[in-house]
Amino acid sequence: MPNIIDSPFKSISILYRKSHIWLNNCCLQHDLTAAQAVVILIICDFKQLTQDEITKRLALDKSVIAKTVTKLVELGFLIRTTNAKDKRTFDIQPTEKSWQVYPFIKEEIKRTFQRMTQRMTEQEREEFKRLLAMAAEASIELED
């Protein structure tokens, strides 16, 4: 039987899709999607970011981030204020509601990573994490 996962691109696609399905399913109880959870995670990690910084850090389209942030503001998870130095820029901060779900999101992301790496040893898992970060950083640098 041929290996159905015969290229790194197929593997990346499968990991992305499965991780979003798993995260979507567990975030339903907080009325969040996986994409919204990741934005909350990064905002809480940094305490405050501009919309442009979120876009760059997640390597997503500006319109996708704008829609996601707008929805999270409407749901009470984020506060959007005009940047004092640049009136065309918005500063994004977490609300108490974000801080309440932040530990849950971190734990679910950890659980999702454990699930996708369940056949790996702890050493392999740490190396995989390191290699993924290296590939992501290199990809982001290519856009700058």
Side-chain angles (χ1 to χ4, degrees):
M1 184 169 148
N3 184 358
I4 60 166
I5 305 172
D6 58 358
S7 91
F9 295 103
K10 285 183 188 174
S11 298
I12 290 167
S13 179
I14 290 166
L15 290 175
Y16 174 80
R17 188 73 200 118
K18 286 293 192 179
S19 65
H20 268 254
I21 290 168
W22 295 332
L23 195 54
N24 268 326
N25 288 340
C26 69
C27 286
L28 280 175
Q29 64 185 292
H30 294 285
D31 295 321
L32 292 169
T33 65
Q36 292 167 339
V38 171
V39 170
I40 289 172
L41 181 75
I42 197 166
I43 296 291
C44 287
D45 283 348
F46 287 92
K47 316 279 189 291
Q48 177 177 304
L49 290 170
T50 66
Q51 260 183 236
D52 286 343
E53 288 171 330
I54 299 168
T55 299
K56 287 178 185 161
R57 290 183 186 281
L58 295 178
L60 292 170
D61 187 70
K62 284 184 180 189
S63 66
V64 171
I65 293 299
K67 287 176 191 171
T68 304
V69 166
T70 297
K71 185 66 177 173
L72 289 170
V73 168
E74 288 171 8
L75 293 171
F77 286 98
L78 301 177
I79 298 168
R80 178 175 34 203
T81 55
T82 303
N83 183 285
K85 294 177 186 164
D86 183 351
K87 301 294 181 203
R88 299 167 297 165
T89 303
F90 292 109
D91 293 326
I92 313 299
Q93 294 175 293
T95 63
E96 184 56 37
K97 194 172 179 181
S98 276
W99 287 114
Q100 288 172 0
V101 297
Y102 179 63
F104 168 82
I105 293 169
K106 283 180 72 163
E107 185 57 35
E108 287 305 322
I109 287 173
K110 182 179 174 185
R111 197 172 289 141
T112 295
F113 187 73
Q114 292 288 340
R115 199 170 178 183
M116 74 172 62
T117 59
Q118 63 185 322
R119 292 186 181 173
M120 295 180 189
T121 65
E122 194 55 39
Q123 185 178 354
E124 289 169 333
R125 187 176 286 124
E126 287 304 313
E127 181 66 2
F128 182 57
K129 194 184 298 184
R130 187 185 71 76
L131 293 171
L132 283 172
M134 187 186 298
E137 287 167 9
S139 297
I140 289 170
E141 286 171 9
L142 289 171
E143 290 181 14
D144 294 344

